Amino acid sequence: MSSPRKVSDSTVRRLSSYLRILRDIQSDGTHTVSSERLAELGGLTSAQVRKDLSFFGNFGVRGRGYDVGDLRTALTGILGLDRTWKTVVVGAGRLGSALISYPEFPNQGFAIVGVFDVDPSKLGRRIGDCEIRPVQELRDYAERESISVGIIATPRVAAQEAADHLVAGGIRAILNFAPMALDVPPGVTVRHVNLAIELEGLSFAITESSNVPTTIETGDAD
Amino acid sequence: MSSPRKVSDSTVRRLSSYLRILRDIQSDGTHTVSSERLAELGGLTSAQVRKDLSFFGNFGVRGRGYDVGDLRTALTGILGLDRTWKTVVVGAGRLGSALISYPEFPNQGFAIVGVFDVDPSKLGRRIGDCEIRPVQELRDYAERESISVGIIATPRVAAQEAADHLVAGGIRAILNFAPMALDVPPGVTVRHVNLAIELEGLSFAITESSNVPTTIETGDAD
DNA sequence: ACTTGTGAACTGTTTCACAGCA
DNA sequence: TGCTGTGAAACAGTTCACAAGT
């Protein structure tokens, strides 16, 4: 149904950013926006904005710009944010608990409907609306409840097993917070949020700028 | 002291990944590793590995490969992980609290020495080794204690102010978990961890693969 | 007149392929 | 022989510049 062309990861990330900007300016009462203005608000070039959008269709009107509401609706649809994705969290430690209460998840249509942990002492406890269940039940639960997304917030050693259960239960996508690469079959999408890598990137940037006192060329926000 | 050439963000991320692999295989007792093996373990090509490393020096021995210990030491130095970075966390909510106890931070040499929050009811409470202090004290504290890194785990609306305090206090790098772009002066490095964007990327991937039933070309882990 | 949509040019990154050395 | 280090080639992503539409 949608365009079969391969869309780059960076393009998809920028679509998210456009959508956030559109939401912001729509609540200010703005009805029309040019690629130039969108670029300015997102810290990009107007050509970039037009290229990204033209990948998915002709949303603009020449001489006029883009209708904020229409473009927002279009992007919401393209990103699949016009529906609810049933989501489970594996790992009810501090990070898992924090994620369960993170308002951005329900905001984007990710409904956390189940939480799983290996620790028997945690079972039955509630976090938010969810009771903590044993990981042994994860596969069946995911299958029975048609869960689309799994969030892995376990320690490193438990992550691959968690992924295996999720995949066996028919999950489609995984957001992985454990600091290791997961092995999953094709057709399952993994996004890896690796805090260690982010930290090491910061460390590198500070170290490098200390060592090269004349040139300060970093400072790249987002 | 180090090479003045511009190193791409993706290269730095891969260096982190090589370092993690080296740590793993060193504890297995491996002393030498080829670019081929390193590539296999990191899910890359051997040419990529050699290009990345050659950017920083000639670490390998032709016909033999790389010495695991030596390369580990070299990468640790390049990434600036051979020292301790004094770090503060702004925002002592659920995410902030989870981050303070996240073992990866001390592991990478990021010592969390202070926690700040606006909420007066939280002041004085302890999380880990740190007492929660008022954000009004953030600037002076950062300056006095020579803090290098700030982690922003506040809600969206408080993030820019937190960044301003950190910058005024002489911070060098920020890890931003708030879902908004921060405005900081050149010389301050920001890494943005935006869970909403990661989620929207997953949503897009699932949506797209549902709509194009014949081609399943995703499944890109890490 | 104004602003989109897009081929063409450009820039940056990855892969190839092999010379050079242990 | 085996594996690194690196120019050259291929590819991907971004920016330019302008024709086309309102």
mmCIF file of all heavy atoms in Angstrom, chain C residues 2-17:
data_model
loop_
_atom_site.group_PDB
_atom_site.id
_atom_site.type_symbol
_atom_site.label_atom_id
_atom_site.label_comp_id
_atom_site.label_asym_id
_atom_site.label_seq_id
_atom_site.Cartn_x
_atom_site.Cartn_y
_atom_site.Cartn_z
ATOM 1 P P DC C 2 7.549 37.613 -3.128
ATOM 2 O OP1 DC C 2 7.307 38.418 -1.911
ATOM 3 O OP2 DC C 2 8.884 37.559 -3.777
ATOM 4 O "O5'" DC C 2 7.086 36.120 -2.817
ATOM 5 C "C5'" DC C 2 5.743 35.844 -2.436
ATOM 6 C "C4'" DC C 2 5.539 34.339 -2.479
ATOM 7 O "O4'" DC C 2 5.512 33.878 -3.839
ATOM 8 C "C3'" DC C 2 6.660 33.571 -1.779
ATOM 9 O "O3'" DC C 2 6.057 32.795 -0.766
ATOM 10 C "C2'" DC C 2 7.286 32.725 -2.883
ATOM 11 C "C1'" DC C 2 6.160 32.617 -3.896
ATOM 12 N N1 DC C 2 6.574 32.396 -5.315
ATOM 13 C C2 DC C 2 5.950 31.351 -6.035
ATOM 14 O O2 DC C 2 5.100 30.641 -5.481
ATOM 15 N N3 DC C 2 6.319 31.131 -7.333
ATOM 16 C C4 DC C 2 7.245 31.914 -7.902
ATOM 17 N N4 DC C 2 7.564 31.671 -9.193
ATOM 18 C C5 DC C 2 7.877 32.984 -7.192
ATOM 19 C C6 DC C 2 7.517 33.188 -5.914
ATOM 20 P P DT C 3 6.985 32.027 0.315
ATOM 21 O OP1 DT C 3 6.323 32.074 1.621
ATOM 22 O OP2 DT C 3 8.376 32.486 0.160
ATOM 23 O "O5'" DT C 3 6.897 30.564 -0.252
ATOM 24 C "C5'" DT C 3 5.648 29.892 -0.258
ATOM 25 C "C4'" DT C 3 5.847 28.557 -0.918
ATOM 26 O "O4'" DT C 3 6.110 28.741 -2.323
ATOM 27 C "C3'" DT C 3 7.025 27.768 -0.355
ATOM 28 O "O3'" DT C 3 6.625 26.425 -0.213
ATOM 29 C "C2'" DT C 3 8.074 27.924 -1.427
ATOM 30 C "C1'" DT C 3 7.189 27.912 -2.670
ATOM 31 N N1 DT C 3 7.818 28.394 -3.921
ATOM 32 C C2 DT C 3 7.495 27.744 -5.082
ATOM 33 O O2 DT C 3 6.710 26.819 -5.142
ATOM 34 N N3 DT C 3 8.126 28.221 -6.211
ATOM 35 C C4 DT C 3 9.030 29.264 -6.270
ATOM 36 O O4 DT C 3 9.528 29.593 -7.338
ATOM 37 C C5 DT C 3 9.323 29.910 -5.009
ATOM 38 C C7 DT C 3 10.289 31.042 -4.957
ATOM 39 C C6 DT C 3 8.716 29.442 -3.913
ATOM 40 P P DT C 4 7.581 25.309 0.409
ATOM 41 O OP1 DT C 4 7.072 25.033 1.758
ATOM 42 O OP2 DT C 4 8.995 25.626 0.218
ATOM 43 O "O5'" DT C 4 7.181 24.101 -0.534
ATOM 44 C "C5'" DT C 4 5.817 23.796 -0.728
ATOM 45 C "C4'" DT C 4 5.641 23.109 -2.069
ATOM 46 O "O4'" DT C 4 6.264 23.913 -3.089
ATOM 47 C "C3'" DT C 4 6.283 21.728 -2.157
ATOM 48 O "O3'" DT C 4 5.331 20.801 -2.664
ATOM 49 C "C2'" DT C 4 7.487 21.900 -3.076
ATOM 50 C "C1'" DT C 4 7.093 23.107 -3.910
ATOM 51 N N1 DT C 4 8.241 23.957 -4.355
ATOM 52 C C2 DT C 4 8.529 24.025 -5.698
ATOM 53 O O2 DT C 4 7.903 23.406 -6.550
ATOM 54 N N3 DT C 4 9.580 24.850 -6.022
ATOM 55 C C4 DT C 4 10.364 25.599 -5.151
ATOM 56 O O4 DT C 4 11.279 26.311 -5.574
ATOM 57 C C5 DT C 4 10.010 25.477 -3.757
ATOM 58 C C7 DT C 4 10.804 26.238 -2.739
ATOM 59 C C6 DT C 4 8.975 24.678 -3.424
ATOM 60 P P DG C 5 5.527 19.219 -2.497
ATOM 61 O OP1 DG C 5 4.214 18.544 -2.634
ATOM 62 O OP2 DG C 5 6.344 19.019 -1.297
ATOM 63 O "O5'" DG C 5 6.421 18.862 -3.762
ATOM 64 C "C5'" DG C 5 5.826 18.849 -5.040
ATOM 65 C "C4'" DG C 5 6.878 18.489 -6.079
ATOM 66 O "O4'" DG C 5 7.869 19.541 -6.135
ATOM 67 C "C3'" DG C 5 7.643 17.197 -5.803
ATOM 68 O "O3'" DG C 5 7.744 16.524 -7.062
ATOM 69 C "C2'" DG C 5 9.000 17.680 -5.301
ATOM 70 C "C1'" DG C 5 9.166 18.970 -6.068
ATOM 71 N N9 DG C 5 10.004 19.998 -5.464
ATOM 72 C C8 DG C 5 10.057 20.365 -4.133
ATOM 73 N N7 DG C 5 10.888 21.355 -3.907
ATOM 74 C C5 DG C 5 11.409 21.661 -5.164
ATOM 75 C C6 DG C 5 12.357 22.648 -5.552
ATOM 76 O O6 DG C 5 12.923 23.475 -4.837
ATOM 77 N N1 DG C 5 12.605 22.614 -6.922
ATOM 78 C C2 DG C 5 12.011 21.749 -7.816
ATOM 79 N N2 DG C 5 12.374 21.867 -9.076
ATOM 80 N N3 DG C 5 11.128 20.823 -7.463
ATOM 81 C C4 DG C 5 10.878 20.836 -6.127
ATOM 82 P P DT C 6 8.447 15.147 -7.216
ATOM 83 O OP1 DT C 6 7.666 14.391 -8.210
ATOM 84 O OP2 DT C 6 8.722 14.592 -5.868
ATOM 85 O "O5'" DT C 6 9.849 15.534 -7.853
ATOM 86 C "C5'" DT C 6 9.950 15.931 -9.220
ATOM 87 C "C4'" DT C 6 11.417 16.211 -9.503
ATOM 88 O "O4'" DT C 6 11.858 17.316 -8.688
ATOM 89 C "C3'" DT C 6 12.358 15.049 -9.153
ATOM 90 O "O3'" DT C 6 13.278 14.894 -10.212
ATOM 91 C "C2'" DT C 6 13.077 15.528 -7.913
ATOM 92 C "C1'" DT C 6 13.136 17.009 -8.190
ATOM 93 N N1 DT C 6 13.400 17.860 -7.007
ATOM 94 C C2 DT C 6 14.146 19.005 -7.191
ATOM 95 O O2 DT C 6 14.584 19.348 -8.273
ATOM 96 N N3 DT C 6 14.367 19.738 -6.055
ATOM 97 C C4 DT C 6 13.926 19.446 -4.774
ATOM 98 O O4 DT C 6 14.178 20.191 -3.837
ATOM 99 C C5 DT C 6 13.136 18.231 -4.653
ATOM 100 C C7 DT C 6 12.596 17.824 -3.313
ATOM 101 C C6 DT C 6 12.925 17.510 -5.762
ATOM 102 P P DG C 7 13.232 13.546 -11.039
ATOM 103 O OP1 DG C 7 12.092 13.577 -11.974
ATOM 104 O OP2 DG C 7 13.384 12.472 -10.040
ATOM 105 O "O5'" DG C 7 14.586 13.617 -11.876
ATOM 106 C "C5'" DG C 7 14.613 14.273 -13.130
ATOM 107 C "C4'" DG C 7 15.828 15.170 -13.167
ATOM 108 O "O4'" DG C 7 15.859 15.970 -11.953
ATOM 109 C "C3'" DG C 7 17.152 14.397 -13.221
ATOM 110 O "O3'" DG C 7 17.925 14.976 -14.272
ATOM 111 C "C2'" DG C 7 17.757 14.594 -11.834
ATOM 112 C "C1'" DG C 7 17.159 15.930 -11.396
ATOM 113 N N9 DG C 7 17.020 16.127 -9.953
ATOM 114 C C8 DG C 7 16.360 15.324 -9.055
ATOM 115 N N7 DG C 7 16.383 15.788 -7.823
ATOM 116 C C5 DG C 7 17.097 16.959 -7.913
ATOM 117 C C6 DG C 7 17.453 17.906 -6.915
ATOM 118 O O6 DG C 7 17.184 17.895 -5.710
ATOM 119 N N1 DG C 7 18.202 18.966 -7.440
ATOM 120 C C2 DG C 7 18.549 19.086 -8.756
ATOM 121 N N2 DG C 7 19.274 20.170 -9.069
ATOM 122 N N3 DG C 7 18.226 18.227 -9.709
ATOM 123 C C4 DG C 7 17.500 17.185 -9.224
ATOM 124 P P DA C 8 19.375 14.553 -14.588
ATOM 125 O OP1 DA C 8 19.622 14.813 -16.028
ATOM 126 O OP2 DA C 8 19.578 13.205 -14.004
ATOM 127 O "O5'" DA C 8 20.218 15.574 -13.719
ATOM 128 C "C5'" DA C 8 20.179 16.976 -13.977
ATOM 129 C "C4'" DA C 8 21.333 17.600 -13.228
ATOM 130 O "O4'" DA C 8 21.008 17.647 -11.812
ATOM 131 C "C3'" DA C 8 22.648 16.820 -13.329
ATOM 132 O "O3'" DA C 8 23.704 17.762 -13.439
ATOM 133 C "C2'" DA C 8 22.667 15.988 -12.040
ATOM 134 C "C1'" DA C 8 22.009 16.974 -11.060
ATOM 135 N N9 DA C 8 21.355 16.375 -9.903
ATOM 136 C C8 DA C 8 20.635 15.201 -9.855
ATOM 137 N N7 DA C 8 20.148 14.930 -8.659
ATOM 138 C C5 DA C 8 20.573 15.994 -7.882
ATOM 139 C C6 DA C 8 20.381 16.304 -6.518
ATOM 140 N N6 DA C 8 19.690 15.547 -5.669
ATOM 141 N N1 DA C 8 20.945 17.445 -6.053
ATOM 142 C C2 DA C 8 21.643 18.215 -6.902
ATOM 143 N N3 DA C 8 21.881 18.030 -8.206
ATOM 144 C C4 DA C 8 21.314 16.887 -8.634
ATOM 145 P P DA C 9 25.210 17.318 -13.342
ATOM 146 O OP1 DA C 9 25.967 18.127 -14.338
ATOM 147 O OP2 DA C 9 25.274 15.843 -13.334
ATOM 148 O "O5'" DA C 9 25.604 17.850 -11.891
ATOM 149 C "C5'" DA C 9 25.522 19.248 -11.616
ATOM 150 C "C4'" DA C 9 26.064 19.511 -10.228
ATOM 151 O "O4'" DA C 9 25.250 18.806 -9.258
ATOM 152 C "C3'" DA C 9 27.502 19.039 -10.000
ATOM 153 O "O3'" DA C 9 28.177 20.055 -9.266
ATOM 154 C "C2'" DA C 9 27.333 17.724 -9.234
ATOM 155 C "C1'" DA C 9 26.076 18.005 -8.427
ATOM 156 N N9 DA C 9 25.283 16.824 -8.051
ATOM 157 C C8 DA C 9 24.965 15.747 -8.834
ATOM 158 N N7 DA C 9 24.221 14.847 -8.227
ATOM 159 C C5 DA C 9 24.051 15.366 -6.953
ATOM 160 C C6 DA C 9 23.359 14.891 -5.814
ATOM 161 N N6 DA C 9 22.699 13.740 -5.782
ATOM 162 N N1 DA C 9 23.388 15.658 -4.709
ATOM 163 C C2 DA C 9 24.056 16.814 -4.743
ATOM 164 N N3 DA C 9 24.739 17.380 -5.739
ATOM 165 C C4 DA C 9 24.697 16.582 -6.832
ATOM 166 P P DC C 10 29.699 19.904 -8.844
ATOM 167 O OP1 DC C 10 30.318 21.247 -8.823
ATOM 168 O OP2 DC C 10 30.292 18.811 -9.636
ATOM 169 O "O5'" DC C 10 29.539 19.434 -7.336
ATOM 170 C "C5'" DC C 10 28.803 20.254 -6.425
ATOM 171 C "C4'" DC C 10 28.674 19.517 -5.110
ATOM 172 O "O4'" DC C 10 27.869 18.340 -5.300
ATOM 173 C "C3'" DC C 10 30.005 19.040 -4.528
ATOM 174 O "O3'" DC C 10 30.127 19.625 -3.245
ATOM 175 C "C2'" DC C 10 29.871 17.511 -4.492
ATOM 176 C "C1'" DC C 10 28.359 17.342 -4.416
ATOM 177 N N1 DC C 10 27.799 16.025 -4.860
ATOM 178 C C2 DC C 10 26.941 15.333 -3.989
ATOM 179 O O2 DC C 10 26.688 15.824 -2.886
ATOM 180 N N3 DC C 10 26.409 14.151 -4.383
ATOM 181 C C4 DC C 10 26.699 13.659 -5.599
ATOM 182 N N4 DC C 10 26.142 12.502 -5.933
ATOM 183 C C5 DC C 10 27.559 14.343 -6.493
ATOM 184 C C6 DC C 10 28.086 15.518 -6.094
ATOM 185 P P DT C 11 31.576 19.687 -2.524
ATOM 186 O OP1 DT C 11 31.810 21.112 -2.194
ATOM 187 O OP2 DT C 11 32.547 18.894 -3.324
ATOM 188 O "O5'" DT C 11 31.343 18.911 -1.147
ATOM 189 C "C5'" DT C 11 30.104 19.002 -0.449
ATOM 190 C "C4'" DT C 11 29.934 17.747 0.385
ATOM 191 O "O4'" DT C 11 29.365 16.692 -0.432
ATOM 192 C "C3'" DT C 11 31.222 17.193 0.980
ATOM 193 O "O3'" DT C 11 31.075 17.181 2.386
ATOM 194 C "C2'" DT C 11 31.365 15.796 0.374
ATOM 195 C "C1'" DT C 11 29.936 15.470 -0.026
ATOM 196 N N1 DT C 11 29.769 14.513 -1.163
ATOM 197 C C2 DT C 11 28.869 13.481 -1.025
ATOM 198 O O2 DT C 11 28.215 13.294 -0.024
ATOM 199 N N3 DT C 11 28.759 12.658 -2.120
ATOM 200 C C4 DT C 11 29.450 12.779 -3.315
ATOM 201 O O4 DT C 11 29.264 11.986 -4.223
ATOM 202 C C5 DT C 11 30.386 13.881 -3.390
ATOM 203 C C7 DT C 11 31.190 14.083 -4.636
ATOM 204 C C6 DT C 11 30.494 14.689 -2.330
ATOM 205 P P DG C 12 32.219 16.656 3.344
ATOM 206 O OP1 DG C 12 32.260 17.521 4.545
ATOM 207 O OP2 DG C 12 33.442 16.415 2.535
ATOM 208 O "O5'" DG C 12 31.638 15.241 3.778
ATOM 209 C "C5'" DG C 12 30.275 15.105 4.172
ATOM 210 C "C4'" DG C 12 29.985 13.639 4.404
ATOM 211 O "O4'" DG C 12 29.835 12.974 3.125
ATOM 212 C "C3'" DG C 12 31.090 12.904 5.153
ATOM 213 O "O3'" DG C 12 30.449 12.078 6.117
ATOM 214 C "C2'" DG C 12 31.798 12.094 4.054
ATOM 215 C "C1'" DG C 12 30.657 11.821 3.081
ATOM 216 N N9 DG C 12 31.014 11.621 1.678
ATOM 217 C C8 DG C 12 31.843 12.398 0.908
ATOM 218 N N7 DG C 12 31.948 11.968 -0.327
ATOM 219 C C5 DG C 12 31.129 10.841 -0.363
ATOM 220 C C6 DG C 12 30.835 9.951 -1.439
ATOM 221 O O6 DG C 12 31.234 9.992 -2.601
ATOM 222 N N1 DG C 12 29.960 8.941 -1.039
ATOM 223 C C2 DG C 12 29.438 8.801 0.220
ATOM 224 N N2 DG C 12 28.622 7.771 0.428
ATOM 225 N N3 DG C 12 29.698 9.622 1.232
ATOM 226 C C4 DG C 12 30.551 10.614 0.866
ATOM 227 P P DT C 13 31.261 11.158 7.117
ATOM 228 O OP1 DT C 13 30.690 11.311 8.456
ATOM 229 O OP2 DT C 13 32.708 11.418 6.865
ATOM 230 O "O5'" DT C 13 30.926 9.691 6.604
ATOM 231 C "C5'" DT C 13 29.568 9.304 6.387
ATOM 232 C "C4'" DT C 13 29.536 7.916 5.786
ATOM 233 O "O4'" DT C 13 29.960 7.968 4.409
ATOM 234 C "C3'" DT C 13 30.447 6.920 6.486
ATOM 235 O "O3'" DT C 13 29.641 5.801 6.820
ATOM 236 C "C2'" DT C 13 31.548 6.626 5.458
ATOM 237 C "C1'" DT C 13 30.822 6.883 4.138
ATOM 238 N N1 DT C 13 31.655 7.288 2.961
ATOM 239 C C2 DT C 13 31.520 6.580 1.772
ATOM 240 O O2 DT C 13 30.768 5.636 1.632
ATOM 241 N N3 DT C 13 32.294 7.037 0.738
ATOM 242 C C4 DT C 13 33.184 8.096 0.781
ATOM 243 O O4 DT C 13 33.824 8.404 -0.223
ATOM 244 C C5 DT C 13 33.282 8.794 2.049
ATOM 245 C C7 DT C 13 34.217 9.954 2.182
ATOM 246 C C6 DT C 13 32.517 8.352 3.071
ATOM 247 P P DT C 14 30.171 4.498 7.536
ATOM 248 O OP1 DT C 14 29.101 4.024 8.429
ATOM 249 O OP2 DT C 14 31.529 4.764 8.041
ATOM 250 O "O5'" DT C 14 30.290 3.455 6.325
ATOM 251 C "C5'" DT C 14 29.141 3.163 5.546
ATOM 252 C "C4'" DT C 14 29.553 2.277 4.384
ATOM 253 O "O4'" DT C 14 30.433 2.989 3.505
ATOM 254 C "C3'" DT C 14 30.290 0.994 4.790
ATOM 255 O "O3'" DT C 14 29.560 -0.082 4.212
ATOM 256 C "C2'" DT C 14 31.692 1.172 4.224
ATOM 257 C "C1'" DT C 14 31.445 2.108 3.042
ATOM 258 N N1 DT C 14 32.565 3.003 2.618
ATOM 259 C C2 DT C 14 32.951 3.010 1.290
ATOM 260 O O2 DT C 14 32.440 2.309 0.440
ATOM 261 N N3 DT C 14 33.962 3.892 0.994
ATOM 262 C C4 DT C 14 34.614 4.736 1.878
ATOM 263 O O4 DT C 14 35.500 5.484 1.478
ATOM 264 C C5 DT C 14 34.164 4.672 3.257
ATOM 265 C C7 DT C 14 34.797 5.544 4.277
ATOM 266 C C6 DT C 14 33.174 3.820 3.559
ATOM 267 P P DT C 15 30.031 -1.605 4.408
ATOM 268 O OP1 DT C 15 28.823 -2.435 4.428
ATOM 269 O OP2 DT C 15 31.012 -1.644 5.503
ATOM 270 O "O5'" DT C 15 30.806 -1.912 3.053
ATOM 271 C "C5'" DT C 15 30.090 -1.870 1.827
ATOM 272 C "C4'" DT C 15 31.077 -2.069 0.683
ATOM 273 O "O4'" DT C 15 32.031 -1.000 0.684
ATOM 274 C "C3'" DT C 15 31.884 -3.374 0.798
ATOM 275 O "O3'" DT C 15 31.662 -4.090 -0.418
ATOM 276 C "C2'" DT C 15 33.319 -2.907 0.997
ATOM 277 C "C1'" DT C 15 33.303 -1.533 0.348
ATOM 278 N N1 DT C 15 34.297 -0.537 0.841
ATOM 279 C C2 DT C 15 35.111 0.098 -0.075
ATOM 280 O O2 DT C 15 35.067 -0.131 -1.275
ATOM 281 N N3 DT C 15 35.982 1.007 0.454
ATOM 282 C C4 DT C 15 36.120 1.347 1.791
ATOM 283 O O4 DT C 15 36.939 2.191 2.135
ATOM 284 C C5 DT C 15 35.237 0.648 2.695
ATOM 285 C C7 DT C 15 35.312 0.945 4.161
ATOM 286 C C6 DT C 15 34.377 -0.248 2.191
ATOM 287 P P DC C 16 32.387 -5.493 -0.707
ATOM 288 O OP1 DC C 16 31.435 -6.313 -1.488
ATOM 289 O OP2 DC C 16 32.955 -5.989 0.556
ATOM 290 O "O5'" DC C 16 33.584 -5.060 -1.672
ATOM 291 C "C5'" DC C 16 33.321 -4.092 -2.680
ATOM 292 C "C4'" DC C 16 34.563 -3.861 -3.519
ATOM 293 O "O4'" DC C 16 35.409 -2.861 -2.900
ATOM 294 C "C3'" DC C 16 35.434 -5.090 -3.737
ATOM 295 O "O3'" DC C 16 35.826 -5.056 -5.100
ATOM 296 C "C2'" DC C 16 36.605 -4.867 -2.771
ATOM 297 C "C1'" DC C 16 36.733 -3.356 -2.779
ATOM 298 N N1 DC C 16 37.281 -2.710 -1.562
ATOM 299 C C2 DC C 16 38.292 -1.732 -1.688
ATOM 300 O O2 DC C 16 38.713 -1.450 -2.809
ATOM 301 N N3 DC C 16 38.756 -1.131 -0.569
ATOM 302 C C4 DC C 16 38.259 -1.458 0.627
ATOM 303 N N4 DC C 16 38.743 -0.832 1.686
ATOM 304 C C5 DC C 16 37.238 -2.449 0.771
ATOM 305 C C6 DC C 16 36.778 -3.050 -0.335
ATOM 306 P P DA C 17 36.589 -6.229 -5.811
ATOM 307 O OP1 DA C 17 36.251 -6.140 -7.250
ATOM 308 O OP2 DA C 17 36.350 -7.467 -5.040
ATOM 309 O "O5'" DA C 17 38.131 -5.825 -5.642
ATOM 310 C "C5'" DA C 17 38.644 -4.707 -6.363
ATOM 311 C "C4'" DA C 17 40.127 -4.582 -6.057
ATOM 312 O "O4'" DA C 17 40.298 -4.046 -4.723
ATOM 313 C "C3'" DA C 17 40.871 -5.920 -6.050
ATOM 314 O "O3'" DA C 17 42.207 -5.677 -6.394
ATOM 315 C "C2'" DA C 17 40.799 -6.335 -4.591
ATOM 316 C "C1'" DA C 17 41.076 -4.971 -3.963
ATOM 317 N N9 DA C 17 40.723 -4.844 -2.553
ATOM 318 C C8 DA C 17 39.827 -5.588 -1.826
ATOM 319 N N7 DA C 17 39.747 -5.239 -0.560
ATOM 320 C C5 DA C 17 40.652 -4.197 -0.450
ATOM 321 C C6 DA C 17 41.048 -3.385 0.614
ATOM 322 N N6 DA C 17 40.534 -3.521 1.844
ATOM 323 N N1 DA C 17 41.983 -2.434 0.380
ATOM 324 C C2 DA C 17 42.488 -2.309 -0.864
ATOM 325 N N3 DA C 17 42.188 -3.007 -1.959
ATOM 326 C C4 DA C 17 41.260 -3.935 -1.680
#
